[in-house]
Amino acid sequence: VLPFPSQVVYNRVGKCGSRTVVLLLRILSEKHGFNLVTSDIHNKTRLTKNEQMELIKNISTAEQPYLFTRHVHFLNFSRFGGDQPVYINIIRDPVNRFLSNYFFRRFGDWRGEQNHMIRTPSMRQEERYLDINVCILENYPECSNPRLFYIIPYFCGQHPRCREPGEWALERAKLNVNENFLLVGILEELEDVLLLLERFLPHYFKDVLSIYKNPEHRKLGNLTVTVKKTVPSPEAIQILYQRMRYEYEFYYYVKEQFHLLKRKFGLKSHSRKPRPRPEFFIPSPLETEEPIDDEEEDDEKWLEDIYKR
């Protein structure tokens, strides 16, 4: 019997499918009887030392078993004398994530035409309707670094250098993925992410895939799709790709690790060398493929080692 982790943290990255996953977690928490701890704070990912201590204290004293979720950069519980929880997360193609956020801030999603006005009431009309190509090509702050350096800090942590685009933050983020995260999936293969979460954390995610595929749940999920997205020009996309080179190095690293994990547990992945430019605008998660026979070390022993870290 695998150890049961009673403390799980999903420090969800913005615009990486987290609202879809949180919808699932609300259903699963009632179904399986774990404590889903959410936060009303959505726009404070960087914390002072005192804020880190306070949040870790609040999380650690929640009724167990719990799954805590919030948009917040990685917290090192052991640094403050706490027990390190099991971390999970999901990322996506960096340019796709940026574009989703750009239009979501301006126009919201299908849940209501006025949601975006509530979310960004102080945004001036000329800013709301700013053409994405103008923003990128004329180097507006929203479309240039350091704002484009977004995914890596969620894994690097709270150190000030984690906010600076560069090798230091990239390598620290990779190290944390290896040492502190049970699973980091990619949104483009969400069904496989859910399959692995069900395998690794059945007390939390049992039956998650059948719930996700339920037509009624799909209707709810479709309401969280960002509206009024437009495609930037090839020139603008190429500039974004260059500005996000560290984000892409991290994304490809996570993707490779995720595919290794899929293979380990019998899910096929078509491994191929990264293209010189990323694939954009994948319309839907890839279908889960048939398992393959593969001689691997005992997967339960591997999972037990993860829990003991």
Side-chain angles (χ1 to χ4, degrees), residues 155 169-179 249-250 253:
F155 300 87
L170 169 65
E171 294 306 317
R172 182 160 173 157
K174 289 181 181 178
L175 183 66
N176 275 334
V177 166
N178 293 336
E179 294 187 350
E249 186 171 341
F250 181 73
Y253 175 80

Side-chain angles (χ1 to χ4, degrees), residues 24 28 190-195 198 205-214 218 288:
L24 290 168
L28 291 166
L190 180 57
E191 288 192 9
D192 287 345
V193 176
L194 298 178
L195 270 175
E198 183 171 358
F205 287 96
K206 189 175 188 303
D207 300 324
V208 65
L209 197 56
S210 61
I211 296 170
Y212 173 71
K213 289 183 173 182
N214 184 291
R218 280 295 176 96
T288 300

Side-chain angles (χ1 to χ4, degrees), residues 7 19 31 53 78 89 98 110 141 155-156 179 189 203 208 245 250 254 258 272 277 286-287 299:
Q7 303 173 83
R19 286 179 299 157
K31 184 179 178 68
M53 292 173 65
S78 57
N89 217 323
F98 164 74
W110 291 109
F155 300 87
C156 178
E179 294 187 350
E189 299 173 39
H203 299 84
V208 65
R245 62 188 182 277
F250 181 73
V254 167
F258 180 65
R272 58 190 176 194
R277 284 176 52 182
L286 302 180
E287 291 294 325
D299 52 3

Side-chain angles (χ1 to χ4, degrees), residues 6 25 124 185 195 241 272:
S6 59
L25 286 171
R124 301 188 310 275
L195 270 175
Y241 187 41
R272 58 190 176 194

Side-chain angles (χ1 to χ4, degrees), residues 130-155:
L130 176 64
D131 183 88
I132 183 67
N133 291 301
V134 173
C135 184
I136 296 166
L137 297 176
E138 297 188 12
N139 208 26
Y140 278 66
E142 185 176 358
C143 298
S144 58
N145 280 320
R147 293 194 189 180
L148 294 180
F149 192 69
Y150 183 87
I151 298 174
I152 286 175
Y154 276 88
F155 300 87

